[in-house]
Amino acid sequence: VGQAQRGVPRVPRGSAPAASLFSPAVTSEQIEHLHRRFKQLSQDQLTIRKENFDSIPDLEFNPIRGKIVHAFFDKRNLRQESDGLADEINFEDFLTIMSYFRPIEMNMDEEQLDRFRKEKLKFLFHMYDSDHDGKITLQEYRNVVEELLSGNPHLEKESARSIADGAMMEAASICVGQMGPDQVYEGITFEDFLKMWQGIDIETKMHVRFLNVDTIAHCY
């Protein structure tokens, strides 16, 4: 990542977190592929804006299109200290976002795998936590599940609602447990979110098909 290859802009050492997040096993061809996709999205400009995602056919009918695009500009995902959304992202930012979708490496030890998993789940947590308050209400969680299911043409609306309701109740049982009559559950924290996803293979399920990159399907 730190070297220029066939016209791919050099990522200055230390200037972009993504440079250290991509493994040495990532080839210059894969970086070139990402750069070509970046140029397509940006229409050969130096930065990508939200409206550039309007030209992606695979995203047009995605039920959580807004959340996916939002995640690309979320400063928390760009590993910036400030909160909120960026107006535009450059190629270094694009690499930072893509680092969340990199595949498992066979030589990762247990500590590295745990950190790798938490990074992916943090990205997903930010997609649910749209108001950036560090918590997801149970109703917000239910709404996202229903949005995801609404894209399935074989699932009736009532069935989607029932599944979403079930998902919310399951989240409540995992996160809340036994509550006293005067207790109020303020929302799903990241620690709760980790419990909810325990045992689920997020490492191989989290992809972005619309970018057509082999090393990186639908965000879910």
Side-chain angles (χ1 to χ4, degrees), residues 187-212:
I188 300 168
T189 64
F190 182 60
E191 288 69 28
D192 290 336
F193 200 69
L194 289 175
K195 294 177 190 174
M196 290 164 53
W197 284 82
Q198 190 172 3
I200 298 175
D201 185 15
I202 187 65
E203 293 88 343
T204 57
K205 289 182 181 295
M206 194 164 157
H207 308 286
V208 278
R209 180 182 297 122
F210 65 85
L211 287 170
N212 296 321

Side-chain angles (χ1 to χ4, degrees), residues 90-155:
N90 59 26
F91 184 58
E92 294 172 17
D93 296 329
F94 188 71
L95 285 180
T96 297
I97 297 298
M98 288 300 96
S99 71
Y100 292 100
F101 300 94
R102 69 197 191 282
I104 293 175
E105 298 163 30
M106 299 305 296
N107 62 346
M108 282 182 171
D109 59 30
E110 191 172 333
E111 183 180 343
Q112 289 172 320
L113 282 171
D114 182 62
R115 186 170 63 248
F116 178 82
R117 177 180 175 80
K118 285 181 178 177
E119 285 175 358
K120 286 178 177 287
L121 286 173
K122 195 75 169 181
F123 183 90
L124 192 60
F125 180 83
H126 291 159
M127 287 183 65
Y128 286 79
D129 179 27
S130 56
D131 61 0
H132 296 221
D133 68 349
K135 293 186 177 73
I136 306 163
T137 68
L138 290 172
Q139 187 60 43
E140 285 174 334
Y141 180 73
R142 179 202 176 281
N143 291 342
V144 174
V145 173
E146 189 170 357
E147 284 177 14
L148 280 167
L149 295 172
S150 70
N152 187 334
H154 306 293
L155 198 63

Side-chain angles (χ1 to χ4, degrees), residues 53-120:
F53 285 83
D54 293 339
S55 62
I56 304 176
D58 286 349
L59 269 183
E60 186 177 356
F61 301 107
N62 191 302
I64 58 167
R65 176 192 179 283
K67 286 182 171 58
I68 293 172
V69 175
H70 183 102
F72 271 75
F73 296 86
D74 190 328
K75 290 182 179 180
R76 297 171 297 178
N77 296 334
L78 294 170
R79 297 186 174 88
Q80 298 180 9
E81 292 182 6
S82 55
D83 197 3
L85 296 177
D87 293 326
E88 55 190 20
I89 57 173
N90 59 26
F91 184 58
E92 294 172 17
D93 296 329
F94 188 71
L95 285 180
T96 297
I97 297 298
M98 288 300 96
S99 71
Y100 292 100
F101 300 94
R102 69 197 191 282
I104 293 175
E105 298 163 30
M106 299 305 296
N107 62 346
M108 282 182 171
D109 59 30
E110 191 172 333
E111 183 180 343
Q112 289 172 320
L113 282 171
D114 182 62
R115 186 170 63 248
F116 178 82
R117 177 180 175 80
K118 285 181 178 177
E119 285 175 358
K120 286 178 177 287

Side-chain angles (χ1 to χ4, degrees), residues 30-71:
Q30 289 168 330
I31 297 297
E32 287 179 41
H33 193 157
L34 283 170
H35 187 243
R36 285 197 301 272
R37 195 64 179 112
F38 176 86
K39 290 181 68 178
Q40 289 174 347
L41 287 172
S42 68
Q43 298 176 355
D44 282 334
Q45 299 301 306
L46 294 176
T47 59
I48 291 175
R49 302 182 69 87
K50 294 182 188 71
E51 52 265 30
N52 293 122
F53 285 83
D54 293 339
S55 62
I56 304 176
D58 286 349
L59 269 183
E60 186 177 356
F61 301 107
N62 191 302
I64 58 167
R65 176 192 179 283
K67 286 182 171 58
I68 293 172
V69 175
H70 183 102

Side-chain angles (χ1 to χ4, degrees), residues 14-31:
S15 68
S20 61
L21 290 169
F22 277 101
S23 111
V26 176
T27 66
S28 60
E29 285 78 15
Q30 289 168 330
I31 297 297

